[in-house]
Coordinates of all heavy atoms in Angstrom, one line a residue:
L17 N 57.8 -7.0 34.2 CA 58.0 -6.3 35.4 C 57.9 -4.8 35.2 O 58.7 -4.3 34.4 CB 59.4 -6.7 36.0 CG 59.6 -8.1 36.4 CD1 61.1 -8.3 36.8 CD2 58.7 -8.5 37.5
R18 N 57.1 -4.2 35.9 CA 57.0 -2.7 35.8 C 58.2 -2.1 36.4 O 58.6 -2.4 37.5 CB 55.7 -2.2 36.5 CG 54.5 -2.7 35.7 CD 53.3 -2.1 36.5 NE 52.1 -2.7 35.9 CZ 51.0 -2.1 35.6 NH1 50.9 -0.8 35.9 NH2 50.0 -2.7 35.1
G19 N 58.6 -1.1 35.7 CA 59.8 -0.3 36.2 C 61.1 -1.0 36.0 O 62.1 -0.3 36.3
A20 N 61.1 -2.2 35.6 CA 62.4 -2.9 35.4 C 63.0 -2.5 34.1 O 62.3 -2.3 33.1 CB 62.2 -4.4 35.5
T21 N 64.3 -2.4 34.0 CA 64.9 -2.1 32.8 C 65.6 -3.3 32.2 O 66.0 -4.2 33.0 CB 66.0 -1.0 33.0 OG1 66.9 -1.4 33.9 CG2 65.4 0.4 33.4
S22 N 65.6 -3.4 30.9 CA 66.2 -4.6 30.3 C 67.7 -4.4 30.3 O 68.2 -3.3 30.2 CB 65.6 -4.8 28.9 OG 66.1 -3.8 28.1
P23 N 68.4 -5.6 30.2 CA 69.9 -5.4 30.1 C 70.3 -4.6 28.9 O 71.3 -3.9 28.9 CB 70.3 -6.9 30.0 CG 69.3 -7.7 30.6 CD 68.0 -6.9 30.4
S24 N 69.5 -4.7 27.8 CA 69.9 -4.0 26.6 C 69.7 -2.5 26.8 O 70.5 -1.7 26.2 CB 69.2 -4.5 25.3 OG 67.8 -4.3 25.5
A25 N 68.8 -2.1 27.6 CA 68.5 -0.7 27.8 C 69.6 -0.1 28.7 O 69.8 1.1 28.6 CB 67.2 -0.5 28.6
E26 N 70.3 -0.9 29.4 CA 71.5 -0.4 30.2 C 72.8 -0.8 29.7 O 73.8 -0.9 30.4 CB 71.3 -0.9 31.7 CG 70.1 -0.4 32.4 CD 70.0 -0.8 33.8 OE1 71.0 -1.3 34.3 OE2 69.0 -0.7 34.4
G27 N 72.9 -1.1 28.4 CA 74.1 -1.5 27.8 C 74.5 -2.9 28.1 O 75.7 -3.3 28.0
G28 N 73.6 -3.7 28.7 CA 74.0 -5.1 29.1 C 74.5 -5.2 30.5 O 74.9 -6.3 30.9
R29 N 74.4 -4.2 31.3 CA 74.9 -4.2 32.7 C 74.2 -5.4 33.4 O 73.0 -5.6 33.3 CB 74.6 -2.9 33.4 CG 75.1 -2.9 34.8 CD 74.8 -1.6 35.6 NE 74.9 -0.4 34.8 CZ 76.0 0.2 34.6 NH1 77.2 -0.2 35.2 NH2 76.1 1.4 33.9
G30 N 75.1 -6.3 33.9 CA 74.6 -7.4 34.7 C 74.4 -8.7 33.8 O 74.0 -9.7 34.3
L31 N 74.5 -8.5 32.5 CA 74.3 -9.6 31.5 C 75.6 -10.4 31.4 O 76.7 -9.8 31.2 CB 73.9 -9.1 30.2 CG 73.5 -10.1 29.1 CD1 72.2 -10.8 29.5 CD2 73.2 -9.3 27.8
L32 N 75.5 -11.7 31.4 CA 76.6 -12.6 31.1 C 76.3 -13.4 29.8 O 75.3 -14.1 29.7 CB 76.9 -13.6 32.3 CG 77.9 -14.7 32.0 CD1 79.3 -14.1 31.9 CD2 77.9 -15.7 33.2
V33 N 77.2 -13.2 28.8 CA 77.0 -13.9 27.5 C 78.2 -14.9 27.4 O 79.3 -14.6 27.6 CB 77.1 -12.9 26.4 CG1 77.0 -13.7 25.0 CG2 76.0 -11.9 26.5
V34 N 77.8 -16.2 27.2 CA 78.8 -17.3 27.0 C 78.6 -17.9 25.7 O 77.5 -18.1 25.2 CB 78.6 -18.3 28.1 CG1 79.6 -19.5 28.0 CG2 78.7 -17.7 29.5
G35 N 79.7 -18.1 25.0 CA 79.6 -18.7 23.6 C 80.9 -19.4 23.2 O 82.0 -19.1 23.7
N36 N 80.7 -20.4 22.4 CA 81.8 -21.2 21.8 C 81.7 -20.9 20.3 O 80.9 -21.5 19.6 CB 81.6 -22.7 22.2 CG 82.8 -23.5 21.7 OD1 83.7 -23.0 21.0 ND2 82.7 -24.8 22.0
L37 N 82.5 -20.0 19.8 CA 82.5 -19.6 18.4 C 83.3 -20.6 17.6 O 84.2 -21.3 18.1 CB 83.0 -18.2 18.3 CG 82.2 -17.1 19.1 CD1 82.8 -15.8 18.9 CD2 80.8 -17.1 18.7
P38 N 83.1 -20.7 16.3 CA 83.8 -21.6 15.5 C 85.3 -21.5 15.6 O 85.8 -20.4 15.5 CB 83.3 -21.3 14.0 CG 82.1 -20.5 14.2 CD 82.2 -19.8 15.5
W39 N 86.0 -22.6 15.7 CA 87.4 -22.7 15.8 C 87.9 -24.1 15.5 O 87.1 -25.0 15.4 CB 87.9 -22.2 17.2 CG 87.5 -23.0 18.3 CD1 86.3 -22.8 19.0 CD2 88.2 -24.1 19.0 NE1 86.2 -23.8 20.0 CE2 87.4 -24.5 20.0 CE3 89.4 -24.7 18.7 CZ2 87.7 -25.6 20.9 CZ3 89.7 -25.7 19.6 CH2 88.9 -26.2 20.6
G40 N 89.2 -24.2 15.3 CA 89.8 -25.5 15.0 C 89.3 -26.1 13.7 O 89.1 -25.4 12.7
G41 N 88.9 -27.4 13.7 CA 88.5 -28.0 12.4 C 87.2 -27.4 11.9 O 87.0 -27.5 10.7
S42 N 86.4 -26.9 12.7 CA 85.1 -26.3 12.2 C 85.3 -24.9 11.7 O 84.3 -24.3 11.2 CB 84.1 -26.3 13.3 OG 84.4 -25.5 14.4
L43 N 86.5 -24.3 11.7 CA 86.7 -22.9 11.4 C 86.5 -22.7 9.9 O 85.7 -21.9 9.5 CB 88.1 -22.5 11.8 CG 88.5 -21.1 11.6 CD1 87.5 -20.2 12.3 CD2 89.9 -20.8 12.2
A44 N 87.3 -23.4 9.1 CA 87.2 -23.3 7.6 C 86.5 -22.1 7.0 O 85.4 -22.1 6.5 CB 86.5 -24.6 7.1
G45 N 87.2 -20.9 7.1 CA 86.7 -19.7 6.5 C 85.7 -18.9 7.4 O 85.1 -18.0 6.9
K46 N 85.5 -19.3 8.6 CA 84.5 -18.6 9.4 C 85.1 -17.6 10.4 O 84.4 -17.1 11.3 CB 83.7 -19.6 10.2 CG 82.9 -20.6 9.3 CD 82.1 -21.6 10.1 CE 81.4 -22.5 9.1 NZ 81.0 -23.7 9.7
E47 N 86.4 -17.3 10.2 CA 87.0 -16.3 11.1 C 86.3 -15.0 11.1 O 86.1 -14.4 12.2 CB 88.5 -16.1 10.7 CG 89.4 -17.3 10.8 CD 89.5 -18.0 9.4 OE1 88.6 -17.8 8.5 OE2 90.5 -18.7 9.2
E48 N 85.9 -14.5 10.0 CA 85.3 -13.2 9.9 C 83.9 -13.2 10.5 O 83.5 -12.3 11.2 CB 85.2 -12.7 8.4 CG 84.6 -11.3 8.3 CD 85.4 -10.2 9.1 OE1 86.6 -10.3 9.2 OE2 84.7 -9.3 9.6
D49 N 83.2 -14.4 10.4 CA 81.9 -14.5 11.1 C 82.1 -14.4 12.6 O 81.3 -13.8 13.3 CB 81.2 -15.9 10.7 CG 80.8 -15.9 9.3 OD1 80.7 -14.9 8.6 OD2 80.5 -17.0 8.8
A50 N 83.1 -15.1 13.1 CA 83.3 -15.1 14.6 C 83.7 -13.7 15.0 O 83.2 -13.3 16.1 CB 84.4 -16.2 14.9
A51 N 84.5 -13.1 14.3 CA 84.9 -11.7 14.6 C 83.7 -10.8 14.6 O 83.6 -9.9 15.5 CB 86.0 -11.2 13.7
G52 N 82.9 -10.9 13.6 CA 81.7 -10.1 13.6 C 80.7 -10.3 14.7 O 80.1 -9.4 15.2
I53 N 80.6 -11.5 15.2 CA 79.8 -11.8 16.4 C 80.4 -11.1 17.6 O 79.6 -10.5 18.4 CB 79.7 -13.4 16.6 CG1 78.9 -14.0 15.5 CG2 79.1 -13.7 18.0 CD1 79.0 -15.5 15.5
V54 N 81.7 -11.2 17.8 CA 82.3 -10.5 18.9 C 82.1 -9.0 18.8 O 81.7 -8.3 19.8 CB 83.8 -10.8 19.0 CG1 84.5 -10.0 20.1 CG2 84.0 -12.3 19.3
R55 N 82.3 -8.4 17.6 CA 82.1 -7.0 17.5 C 80.6 -6.6 17.8 O 80.4 -5.6 18.4 CB 82.4 -6.5 16.0 CG 83.9 -6.5 15.8 CD 84.2 -5.8 14.5 NE 83.7 -6.5 13.3 CZ 84.3 -7.4 12.6 NH1 85.5 -7.8 13.0 NH2 83.7 -8.0 11.6
C56 N 79.7 -7.4 17.3 CA 78.3 -7.1 17.5 C 77.9 -7.1 19.0 O 77.2 -6.2 19.5 CB 77.4 -8.1 16.7 SG 75.6 -7.8 16.9
L57 N 78.3 -8.2 19.7 CA 78.0 -8.3 21.1 C 78.6 -7.1 21.9 O 78.0 -6.6 22.7 CB 78.6 -9.6 21.6 CG 77.8 -10.9 21.2 CD1 78.6 -12.1 21.6 CD2 76.4 -10.9 21.9
A58 N 79.9 -6.8 21.5 CA 80.6 -5.7 22.2 C 79.9 -4.4 22.0 O 79.8 -3.5 22.9 CB 82.0 -5.6 21.8
K59 N 79.4 -4.2 20.8 CA 78.7 -2.9 20.5 C 77.3 -2.8 21.1 O 76.9 -1.8 21.7 CB 78.5 -2.8 18.9 CG 77.8 -1.5 18.5 CD 77.7 -1.5 17.0 CE 76.9 -0.2 16.6 NZ 76.5 -0.3 15.2
E60 N 76.5 -3.9 21.0 CA 75.1 -3.9 21.5 C 75.1 -4.0 23.0 O 74.1 -3.5 23.6 CB 74.4 -5.1 20.9 CG 74.2 -5.0 19.4 CD 73.3 -3.7 19.0 OE1 72.3 -3.4 19.7 OE2 73.7 -3.1 18.0
F61 N 76.0 -4.6 23.6 CA 76.0 -4.8 25.1 C 77.4 -4.4 25.7 O 78.1 -5.3 26.2 CB 75.7 -6.3 25.4 CG 74.4 -6.8 24.8 CD1 74.4 -7.6 23.8 CD2 73.2 -6.3 25.3 CE1 73.2 -8.1 23.2 CE2 72.0 -6.8 24.8 CZ 72.0 -7.7 23.7
P62 N 77.8 -3.2 25.6 CA 79.1 -2.8 26.0 C 79.4 -3.0 27.5 O 80.6 -3.1 27.9 CB 79.2 -1.3 25.7 CG 77.8 -0.9 25.6 CD 77.0 -2.0 25.1
L63 N 78.4 -3.1 28.3 CA 78.7 -3.3 29.8 C 78.5 -4.8 30.2 O 78.6 -5.1 31.4 CB 77.7 -2.4 30.6 CG 77.9 -0.9 30.3 CD1 76.9 -0.1 31.1 CD2 79.3 -0.5 30.6
A64 N 78.1 -5.6 29.3 CA 77.9 -7.1 29.6 C 79.3 -7.7 29.7 O 80.3 -7.2 29.2 CB 77.1 -7.8 28.5
T65 N 79.3 -8.8 30.4 CA 80.5 -9.6 30.5 C 80.4 -10.7 29.5 O 79.4 -11.5 29.5 CB 80.7 -10.2 31.9 OG1 80.8 -9.2 32.9 CG2 82.0 -11.1 32.0
L66 N 81.4 -10.8 28.6 CA 81.3 -11.8 27.5 C 82.4 -12.9 27.8 O 83.6 -12.5 28.1 CB 81.6 -11.2 26.2 CG 80.8 -10.0 25.8 CD1 81.3 -9.4 24.5 CD2 79.4 -10.3 25.8
C67 N 82.0 -14.1 27.8 CA 83.0 -15.2 28.1 C 82.9 -16.1 26.8 O 81.9 -16.8 26.6 CB 82.6 -16.0 29.3 SG 83.7 -17.3 29.7
L68 N 83.9 -16.0 26.0 CA 83.9 -16.6 24.6 C 85.1 -17.5 24.3 O 86.2 -17.1 24.7 CB 83.8 -15.5 23.6 CG 82.7 -14.5 23.7 CD1 82.8 -13.4 22.7 CD2 81.3 -15.2 23.6
I69 N 84.9 -18.6 23.7 CA 86.0 -19.4 23.1 C 86.0 -19.0 21.7 O 85.0 -19.1 21.0 CB 85.8 -20.9 23.3 CG1 85.8 -21.2 24.8 CG2 86.9 -21.7 22.6 CD1 85.5 -22.7 25.1
V70 N 87.1 -18.4 21.2 CA 87.3 -17.9 19.9 C 88.5 -18.4 19.2 O 89.5 -18.9 19.8 CB 87.3 -16.3 19.9 CG1 86.1 -15.8 20.5 CG2 88.6 -15.9 20.7
P71 N 88.5 -18.4 17.8 CA 89.8 -18.7 17.1 C 90.9 -17.8 17.5 O 90.6 -16.6 17.9 CB 89.4 -18.5 15.7 CG 87.9 -18.5 15.6 CD 87.4 -18.0 17.0
E72 N 92.1 -18.2 17.5 CA 93.3 -17.4 17.8 C 93.3 -16.1 17.0 O 93.6 -15.0 17.5 CB 94.6 -18.2 17.6 CG 95.8 -17.4 17.7 CD 96.0 -16.7 19.1 OE1 95.4 -17.1 20.1 OE2 96.6 -15.6 19.1
V73 N 92.9 -16.2 15.7 CA 92.9 -15.0 14.9 C 91.9 -13.9 15.4 O 92.2 -12.7 15.2 CB 92.7 -15.3 13.4 CG1 93.8 -16.1 12.8 CG2 91.4 -16.0 13.1
V74 N 90.8 -14.4 15.9 CA 89.8 -13.4 16.5 C 90.4 -12.8 17.8 O 90.2 -11.6 18.0 CB 88.5 -14.1 16.7 CG1 87.5 -13.2 17.4 CG2 87.9 -14.6 15.4
R75 N 91.1 -13.6 18.6 CA 91.7 -13.1 19.8 C 92.7 -12.0 19.4 O 92.6 -10.9 20.0 CB 92.4 -14.2 20.6 CG 93.0 -13.6 21.9 CD 94.1 -14.6 22.4 NE 95.3 -14.5 21.6 CZ 96.3 -13.6 21.7 NH1 96.2 -12.6 22.5 NH2 97.3 -13.6 20.9
Q76 N 93.5 -12.2 18.4 CA 94.4 -11.2 18.0 C 93.7 -10.0 17.4 O 94.2 -8.9 17.7 CB 95.4 -11.8 16.9 CG 96.6 -10.9 16.6 CD 97.4 -10.7 17.8 OE1 97.8 -11.6 18.5 NE2 97.7 -9.4 18.1
E77 N 92.7 -10.2 16.7 CA 91.9 -9.0 16.2 C 91.3 -8.2 17.3 O 91.4 -7.0 17.2 CB 90.8 -9.5 15.2 CG 90.1 -8.4 14.6 CD 89.0 -8.8 13.7 OE1 89.2 -9.7 12.9 OE2 87.9 -8.2 13.8
C78 N 90.8 -8.8 18.3 CA 90.3 -8.1 19.5 C 91.4 -7.2 20.1 O 91.2 -6.1 20.5 CB 89.8 -9.1 20.5 SG 88.2 -9.9 20.1
L79 N 92.6 -7.8 20.3 CA 93.7 -7.0 20.8 C 94.1 -5.9 19.9 O 94.3 -4.7 20.4 CB 94.9 -7.9 21.0 CG 94.9 -9.0 22.1 CD1 96.1 -9.9 22.1 CD2 94.8 -8.3 23.5
D80 N 94.2 -6.1 18.6 CA 94.6 -5.1 17.7 C 93.6 -4.0 17.5 O 94.0 -2.8 17.4 CB 94.9 -5.7 16.3 CG 96.1 -6.7 16.4 OD1 96.9 -6.7 17.4 OD2 96.3 -7.5 15.4
A81 N 92.3 -4.3 17.4 CA 91.3 -3.3 17.1 C 91.0 -2.4 18.3 O 90.6 -1.3 18.1 CB 90.0 -4.1 16.7
G82 N 91.2 -2.9 19.5 CA 90.9 -2.0 20.7 C 89.4 -1.8 20.9 O 89.0 -0.8 21.6
S83 N 88.5 -2.5 20.3 CA 87.1 -2.3 20.4 C 86.5 -3.0 21.6 O 85.3 -2.9 21.9 CB 86.4 -2.7 19.1 OG 86.6 -4.1 18.8
V84 N 87.3 -3.8 22.3 CA 86.8 -4.5 23.5 C 87.9 -4.4 24.6 O 89.0 -4.1 24.3 CB 86.6 -6.0 23.2 CG1 85.5 -6.2 22.2 CG2 87.8 -6.7 22.8
H85 N 87.4 -4.6 25.8 CA 88.4 -4.6 26.9 C 88.5 -6.0 27.4 O 87.5 -6.6 28.0 CB 87.8 -3.6 28.0 CG 88.6 -3.6 29.2 ND1 89.9 -3.1 29.3 CD2 88.4 -4.1 30.5 CE1 90.4 -3.2 30.5 NE2 89.5 -3.8 31.2
I86 N 89.7 -6.6 27.2 CA 89.9 -8.0 27.6 C 90.2 -8.0 29.1 O 91.2 -7.4 29.5 CB 91.0 -8.6 26.8 CG1 90.5 -8.7 25.3 CG2 91.3 -10.0 27.3 CD1 91.5 -9.3 24.3
L87 N 89.4 -8.7 29.9 CA 89.6 -8.8 31.3 C 90.6 -10.0 31.6 O 91.4 -9.9 32.5 CB 88.3 -9.0 32.0 CG 87.2 -7.9 31.7 CD1 85.9 -8.4 32.3 CD2 87.7 -6.6 32.3
R88 N 90.4 -11.1 30.9 CA 91.2 -12.3 31.1 C 91.3 -13.0 29.8 O 90.3 -13.0 29.0 CB 90.6 -13.3 32.2 CG 90.5 -12.7 33.5 CD 91.7 -12.9 34.3 NE 91.5 -12.5 35.7 CZ 92.4 -12.1 36.5 NH1 93.7 -12.1 36.1 NH2 92.1 -11.7 37.7
E89 N 92.3 -13.8 29.6 CA 92.5 -14.6 28.4 C 93.3 -15.8 28.7 O 94.2 -15.8 29.6 CB 93.0 -13.9 27.2 CG 94.4 -13.4 27.4 CD 94.9 -12.6 26.2 OE1 95.1 -13.3 25.1 OE2 95.2 -11.4 26.2
A90 N 93.1 -16.9 28.1 CA 93.8 -18.1 28.2 C 93.8 -18.9 26.9 O 92.8 -19.0 26.3 CB 93.2 -19.0 29.4
P91 N 94.9 -19.6 26.6 CA 95.0 -20.4 25.4 C 94.1 -21.6 25.6 O 94.0 -22.2 26.7 CB 96.4 -20.7 25.2 CG 97.1 -20.5 26.6 CD 96.2 -19.5 27.3
V92 N 93.5 -22.1 24.5 CA 92.8 -23.3 24.5 C 93.3 -24.1 23.3 O 92.9 -23.9 22.2 CB 91.2 -23.1 24.2 CG1 90.5 -24.4 24.2 CG2 90.7 -22.2 25.3
G93 N 94.4 -24.9 23.6 CA 95.1 -25.6 22.5 C 95.9 -24.6 21.7 O 96.3 -23.5 22.1
K94 N 96.2 -24.9 20.4 CA 97.0 -24.1 19.6 C 96.3 -23.1 18.8 O 96.8 -22.1 18.3 CB 97.8 -25.0 18.6 CG 98.8 -25.9 19.3 CD 99.5 -26.8 18.3 CE 100.5 -27.7 19.0 NZ 101.2 -28.6 18.1
K95 N 95.0 -23.3 18.5 CA 94.2 -22.5 17.6 C 93.1 -21.7 18.2 O 92.3 -21.1 17.5 CB 93.7 -23.3 16.5 CG 94.8 -24.0 15.6 CD 94.2 -24.8 14.5 CE 95.3 -25.5 13.7 NZ 94.7 -26.2 12.6
A96 N 92.9 -21.7 19.5 CA 91.8 -21.0 20.1 C 92.2 -20.4 21.4 O 93.2 -20.7 22.0 CB 90.6 -22.0 20.3
A97 N 91.3 -19.5 21.9 CA 91.5 -18.9 23.2 C 90.2 -18.7 23.9 O 89.2 -18.5 23.3 CB 92.2 -17.5 22.9
L98 N 90.3 -18.7 25.2 CA 89.2 -18.3 26.1 C 89.3 -16.8 26.4 O 90.4 -16.4 26.9 CB 89.2 -19.2 27.3 CG 88.2 -18.7 28.4 CD1 86.7 -18.9 27.9 CD2 88.4 -19.5 29.7
L99 N 88.3 -16.0 26.1 CA 88.4 -14.6 26.4 C 87.2 -14.2 27.4 O 86.1 -14.7 27.2 CB 88.2 -13.8 25.2 CG 89.3 -13.8 24.1 CD1 88.9 -12.9 23.0 CD2 90.6 -13.5 24.7
V100 N 87.5 -13.4 28.4 CA 86.5 -12.8 29.2 C 86.7 -11.3 28.9 O 87.8 -10.8 29.2 CB 86.7 -13.1 30.7 CG1 85.7 -12.4 31.5 CG2 86.6 -14.6 30.9
L101 N 85.7 -10.7 28.4 CA 85.8 -9.3 27.9 C 84.6 -8.5 28.1 O 83.5 -9.0 28.4 CB 86.3 -9.3 26.5 CG 85.5 -10.1 25.5 CD1 84.5 -9.2 24.7 CD2 86.4 -10.8 24.5
R102 N 84.7 -7.2 27.9 CA 83.6 -6.3 27.8 C 83.8 -5.4 26.6 O 84.9 -5.2 26.1 CB 83.6 -5.4 29.0 CG 83.1 -6.1 30.3 CD 82.5 -5.2 31.3 NE 81.9 -5.9 32.3 CZ 82.2 -5.9 33.6 NH1 83.2 -5.1 33.9 NH2 81.6 -6.6 34.5
G103 N 82.7 -4.8 26.1 CA 82.9 -3.8 25.0 C 83.4 -2.5 25.6 O 83.5 -2.4 26.8
Q104 N 83.7 -1.6 24.8 CA 84.2 -0.3 25.3 C 82.9 0.5 25.4 O 82.3 0.8 24.5 CB 85.1 0.3 24.3 CG 86.4 -0.5 24.0 CD 87.3 -0.4 25.3 OE1 87.1 0.2 26.3 NE2 88.4 -1.2 25.2
A105 N 82.6 0.9 26.7 CA 81.4 1.7 26.9 C 81.6 3.1 26.3 O 82.7 3.6 26.3 CB 81.3 1.8 28.4
P106 N 80.5 3.6 25.8 CA 80.5 4.9 25.1 C 80.9 6.0 26.1 O 80.7 5.9 27.2 CB 79.1 5.1 24.5 CG 78.3 4.0 25.2 CD 79.2 3.0 25.8

C-alpha cells in the first residue's frame, strides 16, 4: 500500500500481539527466555498492545523492572499470569 506506514514504523500503534510463553511444566529453565521475549516486544513495539500468558516470575520481573506498562493482569493458576501491557514509549 502506498503511503501506508507499517506498525513497526509507528512503534506498533494499532498492533495486537498475543502469546502463550513457556510456563508451568514446560518452564524448566526458560524463565529468562520468556522475560527476554517480553522485553524485546516492549522495546520494538512500545505502542502495541501485548496480551501474554507468562510465568509468575516474568510477571514479577515486569513489575519490578518498570520497562512495561501493565494495563491489566490476572492469575492463571499458581505459576502463571495473563498480562495485557504496553512498552514504555520513548
Side-chain angles (χ1 to χ4, degrees):
L17 296 172
R18 290 181 191 222
T21 57
S22 70
S24 61
E26 294 185 13
R29 184 181 315 277
L31 184 66
L32 173 63
V33 178
V34 178
N36 184 355
L37 301 179
W39 59 276
S42 65
L43 187 55
K46 297 179 182 162
E47 298 96 335
E48 186 55 37
D49 291 344
I53 290 168
V54 175
R55 285 191 301 269
C56 180
L57 287 169
K59 179 182 175 190
E60 294 297 320
F61 305 107
L63 301 176
T65 301
L66 311 176
C67 182
L68 306 171
I69 297 176
V70 300
E72 173 57 28
V73 295
V74 174
R75 183 199 70 81
Q76 190 60 51
E77 182 179 316
C78 288
L79 287 173
D80 295 345
S83 59
V84 297
H85 177 68
I86 297 177
L87 304 171
R88 299 275 186 202
E89 64 179 295
V92 178
K94 294 180 183 178
K95 297 183 181 182
L98 170 67
L99 297 180
V100 178
L101 52 98
R102 287 206 172 118
Q104 297 291 354

